[in-house]
Amino acid sequence: MAAGASGPTMTFGRKKKTRSIWDDPDAVEVIEIPLEQLHPNPFNPRLVYRDEDIEDLTESIKAEGGVLQDLSVAEVGGFLEYWRARLAETQPEKLDELEDKLGSVPAGDYVTLIGHNRAMSLARAGHDTAPCKVTNSKIPRARLLGLPENMRRIPLNPIEEALGFQGALDDGMLQAEVAAQTGCKQPHISRRIKLLKLPTEVQKAVMDGLAVSEAEILLDRLTTPEQMLQAWLVMKEEGIKAAFAAARVLAPPAPTTSKTEVKTKLAPPVPQQQKHSPDEPGPETAPPRGANPEVAKPGSSALGASDKQQTGRTNPEEQKEPQRDPSAEAAQLRVLACRTVLELGVPSNPRETLRLLAPALLAAPSKAARETAHEWLRSSAKPIGPDAARPDKYFAEVSASGDAKLTAHVALAVALATAEQRASAASRPWDAQDRDYLAHLKSAVNYQPTQWEQDRLGGK
């Protein structure tokens, strides 16, 4: 039910009569109260007041000569008396917050239960007083009153909504009752309340405009506030989506290897010189001209740092560094991107997925590609598919499962492995399929091709 002048309605308990929190059981007159004696409702869910919203309301007040609806207020003394006792019984941790906001306020002043925006706009419009109804009977519903009032006038941000909904639940309302009161659907209320599980910094980001859908991905894929905060920092620093950041957090830590070590791991082993025990003579090496043969023998420690400085010579092995292999380094980065894609699941765009799957299906994936896909799927942070160590058994169980989502996920892994095997073949130039492969990685996980890859694609 849309909130109108009389507000939305709600049924309390098992009573048949529908009763609204806007209903005032006491007939009270409107009185003018000085604005300086009006104080915000400490349970108001609104945390952010946009200047443009207050300014719009101010202009309306100027045009109309005042507000169109009276403010609803309660005496501070009665408000504190009730809520001190109520919070001491149900939420003692909230008492300090209540005292900070109202504890030093004169008991004869008033709490603005409904209409704080109007009070601010009246002050900005040059008014000294506001038309008010003193409704002490509404004090027990102070946490509920601000929610529909705010939602119908200037929309709350998602976190403010969540706080308002949670306040209503804390007062003993059921989600179904909150839904009837606010006109929101119950799943919407549940999703909003779930946002309160986010770390404070991420909640602030939602208030500042982070899409709720992105925040919900962090909640769905990560289990601890520490993980969520880590993912948010990655999102903020690298400008990537929540799904990619969550996968990055869940991925096993990459080995801290240097570029030299990368090449060493990927390159064939280099034959090493035969080692000899200290008692066996090593291979004879001609000493430098004019040098003491005993000093110049390999393995001798007689040549100290001062001797090296005098001769100006160092061991050639110490100067020589293995050459970088940009193709191997690029391949390692692509594999990491493929693993991240699989952590995220099947892309929502079926055309994009089919564009990647079709060439792999037409090429008939090789045994090596299937084995690679199997390894990627089983060694992810959260293993995907059946617990089968052998690839052939794994793929057979996936096919027999009848799980369309799992089958698509595994097919994507095979397609990625096929595309990577093709791209890694040094004997062929890259073509449109390779371009589509890198474009898919870029679209899915913001993969940035290396300079070597850009050159191989023709600089495009």
Side-chain angles (χ1 to χ4, degrees):
M1 176 178 175
S6 61
T9 60
M10 178 184 70
T11 302
F12 288 89
R14 298 181 179 274
K15 295 180 181 180
K16 295 182 179 180
K17 181 182 177 181
T18 299
R19 181 180 174 191
S20 169
I21 63 171
W22 297 73
D23 293 339
D24 193 354
D26 304 321
V28 294
E29 61 178 346
V30 177
I31 61 174
E32 291 289 330
I33 296 178
L35 293 174
E36 61 185 19
Q37 290 186 266
L38 299 180
H39 305 276
N41 181 352
F43 303 119
N44 190 335
R46 188 178 298 282
L47 302 176
V48 179
Y49 293 89
R50 298 192 308 170
D51 186 74
E52 55 267 33
D53 294 331
I54 302 300
E55 188 60 34
D56 288 345
L57 186 53
T58 300
E59 293 302 319
S60 174
I61 289 173
K62 289 179 178 179
E64 299 292 339
V67 293
L68 299 180
Q69 186 175 1
D70 309 320
L71 284 64
S72 179
V73 302
E75 294 172 342
V76 168
F79 189 96
L80 285 174
E81 181 181 1
Y82 176 86
W83 281 102
R84 279 171 177 159
R86 175 77 172 271
L87 294 179
E89 180 182 350
T90 60
Q91 291 179 292
E93 70 279 3
K94 295 285 187 179
L95 277 174
D96 289 342
E97 184 178 346
L98 177 67
E99 296 296 339
D100 287 342
K101 293 181 177 179
L102 289 178
S104 60
V105 172
D109 282 5
Y110 300 88
V111 177
T112 306
L113 299 176
I114 303 174
H116 182 59
N117 282 4
R118 278 168 276 165
M120 289 193 295
S121 298
L122 281 166
R124 187 173 293 191
H127 291 249
D128 296 323
T129 63
C132 303
K133 289 181 179 179
V134 181
T135 53
N136 290 332
S137 59
K138 292 183 178 180
I139 288 176
R141 290 170 281 172
R143 282 205 276 209
L144 312 181
L145 294 171
L147 187 56
E149 164 74 4
N150 279 301
M151 293 182 71
R152 73 174 187 152
R153 293 184 180 276
I154 302 173
L156 299 168
N157 67 54
I159 298 299
E160 291 172 335
E161 277 189 32
L163 292 170
F165 293 146
Q166 187 60 56
L169 298 183
D170 291 341
D171 272 348
M173 292 182 69
L174 301 175
Q175 284 194 17
E177 293 174 323
V178 178
Q181 172 65 44
T182 60
C184 296
K185 293 184 178 180
Q186 195 168 340
H188 173 83
I189 295 172
S190 299
R191 289 174 57 193
R192 284 293 190 263
I193 290 175
K194 190 177 179 181
L195 294 177
L196 298 179
K197 295 181 180 180
L198 291 166
T200 301
E201 188 168 343
V202 185
Q203 290 188 33
K204 290 180 179 177
V206 173
M207 293 173 65
D208 290 338
L210 175 66
V212 170
S213 59
E214 291 288 280
E216 289 175 335
I217 287 174
L218 299 182
L219 287 165
D220 291 341
R221 303 199 177 191
L222 303 173
T223 56
T224 67
E226 292 76 18
Q227 288 179 331
M228 297 175 199
L229 179 57
Q230 184 181 353
W232 162 242
L233 293 176
V234 172
M235 292 169 63
K236 185 167 60 172
E237 292 171 2
E238 301 187 19
I240 59 179
K241 294 290 186 179
F244 184 24
R248 182 86 63 83
V249 169
L250 293 174
T256 54
T257 56
S258 64
K259 293 180 178 179
T260 299
E261 290 174 319
V262 170
K263 181 182 185 304
T264 302
K265 289 183 177 182
L266 297 175
V270 179
Q272 302 293 321
Q273 290 184 347
Q274 184 179 359
K275 295 184 179 180
H276 300 272
S277 67
D279 296 332
E280 296 178 349
E284 294 295 330
T285 304
R289 183 175 299 176
N292 184 339
E294 295 299 326
V295 174
K297 283 183 179 180
S300 172
S301 60
L303 184 59
S306 60
D307 298 307
K308 292 180 181 180
Q309 293 173 358
Q310 292 175 5
T311 60
R313 298 181 181 181
T314 58
N315 188 340
E317 295 297 327
E318 296 176 356
Q319 292 180 320
K320 184 178 179 181
E321 292 186 2
Q323 294 181 350
R324 291 177 55 213
D325 185 347
S327 64
E329 293 176 8
Q332 189 182 51
L333 293 174
R334 292 195 304 272
V335 168
L336 177 59
C338 288
R339 287 178 172 273
T340 305
V341 170
L342 295 178
E343 290 279 358
L344 303 183
V346 180
S348 58
N349 186 340
R351 179 176 296 180
E352 180 181 336
T353 306
L354 182 61
R355 188 174 182 181
L356 183 70
L357 291 176
L361 295 174
L362 293 174
S366 66
K367 179 181 178 181
R370 287 164 60 88
E371 290 175 347
T372 297
H374 173 258
E375 193 273 329
W376 287 350
L377 293 164
R378 295 302 306 147
S379 64
S380 63
K382 293 183 178 180
I384 300 163
D387 185 14
R390 295 202 330 267
D392 55 348
K393 182 180 179 183
Y394 176 88
F395 289 109
E397 290 187 18
V398 170
S399 298
S401 69
D403 187 334
K405 185 176 181 180
L406 173 62
T407 302
H409 205 154
V410 174
L412 175 63
V414 174
L416 288 170
T418 300
E420 177 53 36
Q421 184 181 51
R422 191 172 185 273
S424 298
S427 59
R428 52 169 290 277
W430 278 7
D431 55 21
Q433 287 188 31
D434 302 289
R435 191 183 309 282
D436 287 344
Y437 171 44
L438 264 68
H440 182 85
L441 297 182
K442 184 174 182 180
S443 172
V445 295
N446 199 30
Y447 178 75
Q448 299 300 318
T450 66
Q451 185 59 53
W452 181 86
E453 290 170 324
Q454 293 179 34
D455 293 342
R456 196 163 173 81
L457 288 169
K460 296 181 181 179

